[in-house]
Amino acid sequence: MNKELILVTGGTGYIGSHTVVELQNAGYDVVIVDNLYNSNIEVLDGIEQITGKRPHFEEADCADPIAMRHLFEKYQGISGIINFAASKAVGESMQRPIMYYRNNLNTLMNLLDLMEEYSVKGIVFSSSCTVYGEPDVNPVTEESPIKKATSPYGNTKQICEEIITDVINAGASFKSVILRYFNPIGAHPSAEIGELPNGVPQNLIPYLTQTAIGIRKELSVFGDDYDTPDGSCIRDFINVVDLAKAHVIAIRRMLEDKSESKIEIFNLGTGIGLSVKELIASFERATGVKVPHKIVGRRAGDIEKVWANPSHANNVLGWKAEISIDDTMRSAWAWQCRLREKGIM
Ligand code: UD1
């Protein structure tokens, strides 16, 4: 049994918590560090329910170098890091750019500094398809051009990728795998963990499930005059459990010295573009629950269409998105219903 210790920053968040489950299922020990700014301590109960094991947990801000040094002193022998800790709302980043740069960049730089000192072998970095902007050609490969970011949030992802590249090119002792996620959705099939946005959701699926359960009156579809078959935007919606599994493969690859180079970049998507209207239809088909919705104007800053070519991850990592969109929709709905049962929403 593998008992290497993995530090998961932002591990009580949406993608982080699903990844902790997969890491523990694969036999890794996990320490989570999270400041609980956008997540909840009860997530640890959900992880324990699913895996039978409670991860170590430290409440701290990863952008705070002193707190992070304490953590590395306390947990000697961290083998690898998966860095989810980041602010992630596009709109909020337009209002509070300094907060985004401070949080996202300082967190990464603190980790990279400490990795060298404490001989950590590798870091998985959460990046995003946002780095491709509005692509000229779909599907996008890892070689597709990086476009100027349209938000401070997107810019932090680009800058963080550059920081990692510069640090590794300068001779760092560790490796990195950069994962560019498309649109993560759904929840763990147990409905013990899922996405829990604060306040009014900005993202499509939480807004949709909250509408389906009656918390919101209707879902607004932002634009149906795009140059797409049904006029609504197209995205590559990837199940969060599929996504989480890719992180286990990525960290193992670095720890077992299987990386082909010191920095590797992978798109994580299904390879299938679905429109917003198609997604609503698939939710209704999979769950039998209607989603009241109306067409409204476009949302500023939205990309018209983007989906992944995931061949590189398929071939090199041996990873492939496996969970169907209907199962994903059912998992999102089961999670929303669980939140209702628990009286959370
Ligand atoms: C954005 C970011 C992405 C980030 C993600 C999570 C960009 C280009 N993308 O993805 O990097 O990781 O947020 O914060 O910056 N929609 C509606 N009604 C709604 C909500 C959304 O019609 O109430 C539509 C949007 O117009 C879009 C699609 O649904 O076409 C998906 O939107 P959303 O879930 O917010 O994700 P992105 O904007 O694609």
Side-chain angles (χ1 to χ4, degrees):
M1 185 90 154
N2 199 330
K3 277 292 168 199
E4 279 176 302
L5 181 61
I6 309 297
L7 173 65
V8 181
T9 74
T12 48
Y14 174 44
I15 307 172
S17 57
H18 289 80
T19 300
V20 172
V21 164
E22 297 306 321
L23 284 168
Q24 294 197 156
N25 283 345
Y28 289 102
D29 269 341
V30 174
V31 51
I32 292 175
V33 54
D34 204 303
N35 62 1
L36 302 177
Y37 176 77
N38 195 21
S39 62
N40 198 301
I41 191 79
E42 275 94 62
V43 169
L44 299 178
D45 300 333
I47 294 171
E48 190 175 1
Q49 277 293 325
I50 299 168
T51 63
K53 191 174 171 200
R54 202 170 181 85
H56 304 286
F57 176 76
E58 296 293 326
E59 184 175 343
D61 186 340
C62 299
D64 174 354
I66 296 166
M68 291 310 283
R69 180 168 294 282
H70 282 151
L71 186 141
F72 276 75
E73 279 298 313
K74 180 169 172 186
Y75 296 89
Q76 295 281 334
I78 293 170
S79 302
I81 299 177
I82 306 185
N83 180 30
F84 294 104
S87 303
K88 61 162 191 175
V90 176
E92 185 186 45
S93 79
M94 308 279 213
Q95 308 301 320
R96 307 182 66 187
I98 298 279
M99 176 183 126
Y100 272 67
Y101 288 114
R102 184 175 286 136
N103 235 352
N104 296 3
L105 305 189
N106 285 343
T107 290
L108 177 69
M109 290 189 290
N110 286 340
L111 293 171
L112 296 180
D113 259 345
L114 289 161
M115 284 179 78
E116 193 73 45
E117 210 176 311
Y118 288 84
S119 306
V120 179
K121 287 186 183 162
I123 181 165
V124 179
F125 180 71
S126 301
S127 190
S128 166
C129 69
T130 194
V131 303
Y132 301 117
E134 181 79 64
D136 302 321
V137 180
N138 275 297
V140 293
T141 69
E142 290 77 0
E143 279 71 48
S144 296
I146 302 295
K147 297 278 182 70
K148 183 170 167 40
T150 53
S151 70
Y153 158 76
N155 208 20
T156 67
K157 293 296 175 195
Q158 294 192 3
I159 297 169
C160 283
E161 288 197 6
E162 288 173 353
I163 292 174
I164 293 171
T165 308
D166 289 345
V167 169
I168 287 186
N169 287 341
S173 56
F174 50 82
K175 299 190 179 95
S176 182
V177 174
I178 292 171
L179 300 177
R180 292 180 180 154
Y181 313 149
F182 283 67
N183 285 56
I185 60 166
H188 195 269
S190 64
E192 294 289 349
I193 54 173
E195 190 171 9
L196 191 52
N198 273 338
V200 180
Q202 305 296 311
N203 294 114
L204 178 60
I205 286 298
Y207 205 105
L208 184 157
T209 56
Q210 289 192 13
T211 305
I213 210 161
I215 299 170
R216 314 274 159 213
K217 192 163 140 277
E218 60 189 350
L219 171 69
S220 297
V221 175
F222 297 138
D224 75 343
D225 57 351
Y226 285 100
D227 181 19
T228 60
D230 67 20
S232 63
C233 292
I234 294 180
R235 296 287 183 274
D236 185 332
F237 296 98
I238 167 88
N239 183 288
V240 67
V241 175
D242 276 336
L243 192 69
K245 288 180 176 164
H247 293 75
V248 179
I249 298 172
I251 199 86
R252 185 181 289 136
R253 196 172 162 77
M254 290 187 285
L255 300 188
E256 293 180 354
D257 285 322
K258 303 241 168 80
S259 306
E260 287 170 2
S261 58
K262 288 190 84 177
I263 309 177
E264 296 183 304
I265 301 181
F266 298 97
N267 283 343
L268 296 182
T270 63
I272 298 165
L274 271 189
S275 75
V276 173
K277 286 182 182 173
E278 285 173 320
L279 197 76
I280 296 169
S282 88
F283 179 88
E284 293 183 337
R285 179 180 66 234
T287 64
V289 180
K290 288 281 169 214
V291 184
H293 60 279
K294 63 168 184 216
I295 311 295
V296 301
R298 294 181 176 194
R299 180 171 72 176
D302 263 340
I303 302 298
E304 180 172 270
K305 47 182 180 258
V306 59
W307 65 94
N309 177 337
S311 306
H312 189 50
N314 298 164
N315 298 334
V316 176
L317 295 181
W319 169 90
K320 198 171 187 314
E322 283 171 346
I323 304 167
S324 71
I325 190 70
D326 284 16
D327 282 345
T328 301
M329 291 293 125
R330 281 189 280 270
S331 72
W333 180 234
W335 168 244
Q336 185 67 64
C337 295
R338 176 65 60 89
L339 290 174
R340 170 60 53 86
E341 268 167 41
K342 287 184 173 171
I344 296 171
M345 268 191 191

